[in-house]
Amino acid sequence: MATTAHRRYAEIMHDVEELINDHINQQKRGTQASSKLKLLVPSVGVFFTPLKLEEAFNFQDDRRRISSRRFVPPSFNDIRLTLNSAQMMSLARSGPIQLMTFDGDVTLYNDGESLTDENPVIPRILRLLRQGICVGIVTAAGYTVAKRYYERLHGLLDAVANAVTDKDIENPKVIILGGESNYLFEFDYNSESFLNFVPRDVWLLDEMRKWQEEDIQSLLDVAEGALNECISSMQLPAEMIRKDRAVGIIPSPGPGTHKFTREQLEETVLVTQQILELSDPGKKVPFCAFNGQSARSTCCPYRRLLHTNGVFGLGGNDVFVDIGDKSWGVLSCQRYLGGIDGSKTLHVGDQFLSAGANDFKARLACTTAWIASPAETVALLDEFHFHCESQGKQ
């Protein structure tokens, strides 16, 4: 039975792989709108690399024994991890990869925590740096001073600095892009916090320079009004936080602090997003509306399925609107580091649930991997190293 199931699953993966190859060939000719895959899945986007789905399924089936299950069919997580493996195989074989970017919370460390010295992802990131791969952290956390990022990432920054001191790594390329796409810092061995602030006029993309400050503040005004509307209609015990490039709500502090329910968070995001999309500044300036849970923003037909399969995390208990999104963030990293192509870039994150999730937009800029915990990030980096090593032995 397991042999028959494996063969049938592998055949399905092979057929999908062929559909993707056809779509990529159509992309090269500029006729992707008429590809078979586009006709079957109208929302399908750009593929930066081929995906060896059949081989990736074989790899995951050896580890997860998908074909050996009698009553439980392939789950969403099985497919997610198979896609991740296919992407790792492709990047390892088409190498060398030049840039790897990461989300922060739930990707590198547990939500609301910091990247401390003992975090097992640190030696994996150091390994990337030794290989000459640039590393970026593209996060929603929007701080204007290096000290705040050092507080969240001190384990990694200290480790990189120690590696430079020991001459284990020379000229490491580590950058942090905060507030989705608003504040850029780069590693600086001689700085107190090992980070140096990079002025916007140095790294902003040409399209981002067209965003007028008046429109940005108008959009945040509209967002604040929408959030206040939700606070009033749902009687949320919330505190408003306004920054120069973001606005959001958190539970009001104090004894017996109330936590927003998942339904309240999602309703607030959906209401705010719709109001912004219909507003005049929302048509001029890109934005990202999201909540701190793993379920972010717009509705997804697989929402119940994802929740059942454990993709949802508890996450933070807030709702924020940021100027820009992670597609702009990753594109800015690529440009600042010398014009790195999307096919040579990988973004790793946990927020790919729907079009409103902040990591989802990174798919417009590069290849991606969808993880569900910091432990999965560690496993992903080990798998990438395994495929690179295997490729080198061939």
Side-chain angles (χ1 to χ4, degrees), residues 9 19 58 96 108 134 143 147 149 151 170 184 236 240 286 305 317 341 359 376 379:
Y9 293 155
L19 287 172
N58 292 334
L108 294 177
C134 303
Y143 307 133
K147 181 180 178 180
Y149 284 113
E151 291 170 355
E170 295 183 5
L184 181 63
L236 301 177
M240 187 77 65
L305 174 64
N317 202 242
D341 190 76
D359 288 311
E376 279 198 8

Side-chain angles (χ1 to χ4, degrees), residues 216-348:
I216 289 173
Q217 296 306 318
S218 293
L219 185 143
L220 294 177
D221 289 341
V222 174
E224 186 172 343
L227 292 170
N228 276 319
E229 179 182 316
C230 292
I231 291 173
S232 176
S233 63
M234 289 187 284
Q235 296 295 295
L236 301 177
E239 177 181 340
M240 187 77 65
I241 296 179
R242 177 75 178 253
K243 303 179 181 180
D244 70 326
R245 286 293 187 275
V247 62
I249 59 171
I250 62 173
S252 298
T257 299
H258 170 84
K259 280 196 171 185
F260 305 135
T261 66
R262 178 169 64 87
E263 291 78 10
Q264 289 172 329
L265 290 168
E266 291 188 3
E267 176 70 12
T268 302
V269 169
L270 289 167
V271 168
T272 303
Q273 180 161 302
Q274 183 181 58
I275 290 174
L276 287 172
E277 287 175 344
L278 296 174
S279 71
D280 185 57
K283 295 179 174 66
K284 298 177 181 178
V285 179
F287 65 89
C288 182
F290 61 96
N291 73 67
Q293 292 190 347
S294 292
R296 294 196 181 186
S297 212
T298 57
C299 290
C300 172
Y302 306 110
R303 179 157 303 215
R304 187 179 301 276
L305 174 64
L306 295 179
H307 184 67
T308 302
N309 280 302
V311 174
F312 275 73
L314 294 177
N317 202 242
D318 53 29
V319 175
F320 269 87
V321 174
D322 286 331
I323 299 300
D325 57 52
K326 288 195 179 177
S327 67
W328 295 104
V330 174
L331 287 169
S332 297
C333 290
Q334 291 169 336
R335 178 184 179 276
Y336 183 71
L337 293 168
I340 298 174
D341 190 76
S343 64
K344 300 295 184 182
T345 304
L346 174 71
H347 178 73
V348 182

